[in-house]
Amino acid sequence: MIRVYVTVNHGDHAHYDIKLDTPTEHDEIVKTDKDIDILLDKREDFLDGVWIQYFYVPEEGFVIINPSKESHVHSH
């Protein structure tokens, strides 16, 4: 499954990344509008309200933001 996780927490904002992983007891499995399951660690406050977008243009990649927190846009 795809996991979104915090790589660096600066206190007022966080940096995000994605990787393939298996669920643990601390995870919430969130289904996207495209029926893709995403793993989020329930203990990480900066993952609460995170948005994950996939774009094809101008190049393919993910953008991860959290509009409910002060966060920076991260592209992958």
Side-chain angles (χ1 to χ4, degrees):
M1 299 176 84
I2 297 173
R3 175 180 299 281
V4 173
Y5 64 101
V6 173
T7 59
V8 179
N9 182 333
H10 292 287
D12 65 342
H13 71 276
H15 297 257
Y16 303 97
D17 205 346
I18 58 174
K19 65 181 177 180
L20 296 178
D21 204 358
T22 55
T24 70
E25 64 187 60
H26 302 291
D27 290 329
E28 179 175 351
I29 300 173
V30 177
K31 187 172 292 295
T32 69
D33 63 344
K34 304 297 183 204
D35 290 328
I36 299 170
D37 292 335
I38 304 291
L39 297 174
L40 301 174
D41 188 329
K42 294 183 281 189
R43 301 170 296 176
E44 178 53 67
D45 188 46
F46 274 97
L47 293 176
D48 185 19
V50 73
W51 288 11
I52 306 157
Q53 297 173 306
Y54 184 80
F55 291 95
Y56 289 102
V57 178
E59 60 185 53
E60 293 184 45
F62 289 93
V63 173
I64 304 168
I65 61 170
N66 190 335
S68 66
K69 312 270 189 250
E70 287 190 43
S71 64
H72 296 118
V73 174
H74 299 280
S75 301
H76 302 281

